[in-house]
Amino acid sequence: MSTGEFRIQGLPISDLAAEFGTPLYVYDADVLRDTYQGLRDRMHPAVDIFLSLKANPNISVIGLLGSLGAGAEVSSLAELETARRAGVAPQNTIFLGPGKTRAELEACVSAGLHAIVCESLDELRALDDLAARTNQGPTPVMLRINPDFHTKGSGLAMGGKPRQFGIDVAHVRRSRELLKSLRHVDVMGLHAYMGTRFLHHEDLVHNTREILATARELSAETGIELRTVDFGGGFGIPYFDNESPLDRDALTAGINETVTEFHRDHPDCRLINELGRYLTAPCGTYVTRALQVKESMGEQFVVADGGTNHHMAAVGVGSFVKRNFPIRSLTRYTEQPDRTYTITGPLCTPNDVIGKRVALPEVAVGDLIGVERSGAYGPSASPGLFLSHGFPAEVMVHDGTAHLVRRRDTLDDLLGKQRLVTF
Ligand SMILES: *Cc1c(COP(=O)(O)O)cnc(C)c1O
């Protein structure tokens, strides 16, 4: 029944595990490129695709996507610097986030980004003051709006309800005088992001249509120019067995229809579609090694060398019923698993469960277990310091060669920042 071990671009997973150790994140650069290119080829040419670094901040991930033409949406100084070092041009970088520090705003102004996305009118005023003290000319700004239309189908809604993000549309409507009084910011567009994990193309097309309609209305009412409109993203990836993938053709056809209409009236407006999960999740596999296989009160457990400390998302946060991510035996890769195991990590907490009663072939100690579609919200969204295991290595396989793109944390990484005070 076993069909041999899992390979990435011909490389046996056991070789990667031997070379780089486990636990390990492996990214398949072919999948990353094809995911981006597949969307790029279908999306209206007026729409630029940006990677939200939050989903995967690895410099080689944005490096590869940037080389294919993707821009970067960043939310911290380190993400800003990651995009810069990866070779993404400032004109293809935007900075957003509900709580930006003065240091972040200053770095954005001096970097000459395409735009800073302001999330409150107070922030806009502060930025105007700050920009006044530079002699770089007006700083380009998009206002992030919190639209008041209803959105459905998101695993986690970020707009259309009371939120810390963006500026309520009603407040933007009343800001005409303020906008006129600002001299050192150039409010050149609008941004909206409705939420994450949308899996029905109708919902995403609806969001896009409503956001573009709201942008037109606000522009007419307040005089805000529409030189850029970022209509968000939140395209989902199916993780659980009750979910199906987005219909990419129907999704892009629907978005392109509304974009075409908008583009006709605003031919010089740059449109941005910012995506994290959709671009990066499919390329990644979290690879762990089985340390123990044991039975407890009738249930079979595999205790692996990594778990929720590196892959918190796999516990199914954001879904009502906890379900399993796609989990496979990488050592005995098969379509016909005939056993069930609960897969745990090494942490001393009962919550460190990566998958409950997962269908797998027989697992032996030393086997490699993989969590698939794990290239988004992995290590960076996990409590990697819990029990001081530290963060795993990350490897990217490109043209049949495996490259270390983040080394595993060492004892020095983990202990070097602590100070022993003797009393
Ligand atoms: C998190 C976030 C994204 C990325 O979301 P995905 O669902 O991973 O695509 C994009 N834009 C904003 C404003 C975000 O907060």
Side-chain angles (χ1 to χ4, degrees):
M1 199 125 53
S2 292
T3 49
E5 75 172 303
F6 181 68
R7 288 166 181 268
I8 293 186
Q9 296 181 23
L11 302 180
I13 195 74
S14 57
D15 286 4
L16 298 180
E19 184 174 354
F20 301 103
T22 56
L24 176 69
Y25 271 88
V26 182
Y27 308 126
D28 184 333
D30 280 357
V31 174
L32 182 60
R33 189 194 54 226
D34 292 351
T35 305
Y36 171 79
Q37 210 56 55
L39 188 63
R40 180 62 282 170
D41 292 346
R42 287 168 176 79
M43 192 70 87
H44 193 292
V47 178
D48 288 331
I49 300 172
F50 278 37
L51 173 69
S52 301
L53 266 73
K54 178 179 73 182
N56 189 320
N58 190 285
I59 191 164
S60 291
V61 169
I62 179 61
L64 180 84
L65 292 178
S67 75
L68 300 170
E73 176 256 291
V74 301
S75 299
S76 67
L77 284 181
E79 286 188 357
L80 179 65
E81 184 61 11
T82 304
R84 193 188 69 78
R85 290 190 193 177
V88 179
Q91 308 87 269
N92 286 327
T93 304
I94 60 173
F95 193 109
L96 61 78
K100 303 180 196 72
T101 63
R102 187 177 174 89
E104 287 169 339
L105 290 174
E106 280 169 357
C108 289
V109 170
S110 63
L113 303 186
H114 176 65
I116 302 171
V117 181
C118 274
E119 306 226 12
S120 75
L121 295 172
D122 283 343
E123 184 180 65
L124 183 64
R125 278 186 209 99
L127 186 58
D128 190 64
D129 282 349
L130 191 148
R133 267 168 265 135
T134 70
N135 39 17
Q136 285 180 279
T139 293
V141 167
M142 279 191 268
L143 298 186
R144 178 170 178 180
I145 55 171
N146 181 11
D148 44 18
F149 68 85
H150 182 66
T151 184
K152 55 182 170 35
S154 172
L156 192 61
M158 310 248 206
K161 45 168 72 180
R163 281 289 184 255
Q164 71 268 49
F165 309 113
I167 309 164
D168 287 3
V169 162
H171 299 169
V172 180
R173 287 208 171 98
R174 296 198 294 265
S175 68
R176 200 186 173 97
E177 290 310 309
L178 168 70
L179 293 174
K180 264 201 298 202
S181 72
L182 302 175
R183 290 281 164 272
H184 309 284
V185 287
D186 169 23
V187 180
M188 42 69 91
L190 296 170
H191 170 286
Y193 172 77
M194 301 308 294
T196 187
R197 297 207 60 221
F198 287 94
L199 280 170
H200 300 292
H201 63 88
E202 300 89 342
D203 297 331
L204 289 163
V205 172
H206 169 80
N207 289 348
T208 309
R209 193 183 305 121
E210 292 292 324
I211 289 167
L212 294 180
T214 305
R216 281 178 196 256
E217 273 170 44
L218 285 178
S219 171
E221 280 179 48
T222 62
I224 294 174
E225 282 185 66
L226 297 182
R227 304 209 306 275
T228 299
V229 175
D230 183 331
F231 59 86
F235 297 9
I237 288 291
Y239 294 121
F240 312 127
D241 49 16
N242 61 332
E243 294 177 331
S244 339
L246 274 168
D247 180 338
R248 190 168 60 170
D249 290 322
L251 171 64
T252 46
I255 288 180
N256 290 348
E257 191 186 324
T258 182
V259 163
T260 301
E261 218 175 277
F262 182 87
H263 185 62
R264 209 168 33 224
D265 301 334
H266 301 87
D268 300 322
C269 180
R270 180 183 201 182
L271 291 163
I272 295 176
N273 179 208
E274 62 190 31
L275 300 168
R277 189 187 314 275
Y278 181 86
L279 294 178
T280 60
C283 74
T285 304
Y286 178 49
V287 182
T288 64
R289 195 181 286 284
L291 298 176
Q292 300 279 329
V293 181
K294 64 200 281 190
E295 185 257 10
S296 170
M297 300 192 183
E299 193 165 333
Q300 296 293 325
F301 286 85
V302 172
V303 183
D305 57 4
T308 54
N309 51 326
H310 301 155
H311 202 338
M312 195 65 191
V315 300
V317 246
S319 47
F320 181 61
V321 184
K322 287 191 180 175
R323 295 175 190 270
N324 293 331
F325 263 50
I327 299 179
R328 302 262 209 161
S329 167
L330 302 178
T331 301
R332 292 164 237 269
Y333 208 67
T334 172
E335 295 301 329
Q336 270 133 15
D338 53 2
R339 310 280 174 103
T340 57
Y341 295 93
T342 290
I343 315 292
T344 82
L347 306 184
C348 304
T349 157
N351 299 328
D352 189 20
V353 172
I354 282 280
K356 283 204 170 113
R357 293 181 205 93
V358 182
L360 288 172
E362 185 169 9
V363 175
V365 169
D367 282 3
L368 298 171
I369 307 291
V371 187
E372 299 180 314
R373 284 172 236 162
S374 294
Y377 302 106
S380 67
S382 301
L385 296 180
F386 197 33
L387 272 82
S388 298
H389 286 287
F391 287 95
E394 296 173 42
V395 165
M396 183 178 284
V397 181
H398 183 262
D399 284 348
T401 305
H403 304 269
L404 185 66
V405 293
R406 185 191 193 284
R407 68 163 171 74
R408 181 179 309 285
D409 278 359
T410 62
L411 268 186
D412 248 10
D413 292 327
L414 293 162
L415 290 178
K417 289 178 198 155
Q418 298 195 43
R419 297 290 174 266
L420 175 66
V421 178
T422 45
F423 301 100

